[in-house]
Amino acid sequence: GDVEPQRWPLLEQHPDPAIATKARAIHGRPAEERAALVAKLMPAAERAGDATRGAALFKEQCTVCHQIGGVGGVIGPHLDGIGARSRRETLLAILDPNQSVEANYVLWIVATKDGSVFSGRLDAE
C-alpha cells in the first residue's frame, strides 16, 4: 500500500532482474482477492459522503496524477466530470484503477542503450 500505483510498472520492469522479480511477486494480488475486496467495500458507495473529507483525501492521495478544477497533476485523466458517475462506478475505479485505462494514459517505459530508464505518457509520435 505504500507504493503508488504508477510506480509498480517501473519496479516490475526494472533493469535489475532481482528487483523486477520481487516486485512482480509482491504486487500481483490474485484477481479473486481484489474481487473480494471490492465486494466487501461496495456497500460504502450507498452511504452519504462527506465532501470536506473527500476533498482533503483527494488532495492528499489523488492530485499527484489527477486534476479537478485545474488543481492537481496531469499524469492521469482530468476528473472534472466525475460527479456524473454513480458512486458504485467511482468506488470501483478507486479500488481497481487499472481496470480501465484510456490509451492516451498508458504508462510507457523506455530503457536506453546506455542503461537509463524513463517512464511517462506518450503525447505524440
Side-chain angles (χ1 to χ4, degrees), residues 17-93:
I19 293 173
T21 300
K22 180 73 170 178
R24 285 191 294 272
I26 61 176
H27 180 238
R29 213 186 315 181
E32 307 85 45
E33 188 178 327
R34 182 171 290 133
L37 177 64
V38 169
K40 177 182 174 186
L41 296 176
M42 197 50 74
E46 305 307 322
R47 294 193 291 239
D50 180 330
T52 302
R53 286 179 61 204
L57 183 63
F58 180 84
K59 183 178 180 182
E60 178 185 317
Q61 297 292 322
C62 307
T63 57
V64 171
C65 297
H66 298 284
Q67 198 177 102
I68 288 183
V71 176
V74 295
I75 296 169
H78 292 223
L79 299 178
D80 287 319
I82 196 79
R85 294 171 124 183
S86 73
R87 288 180 176 185
R88 293 179 67 82
E89 188 179 359
T90 301
L91 181 58
L92 182 58

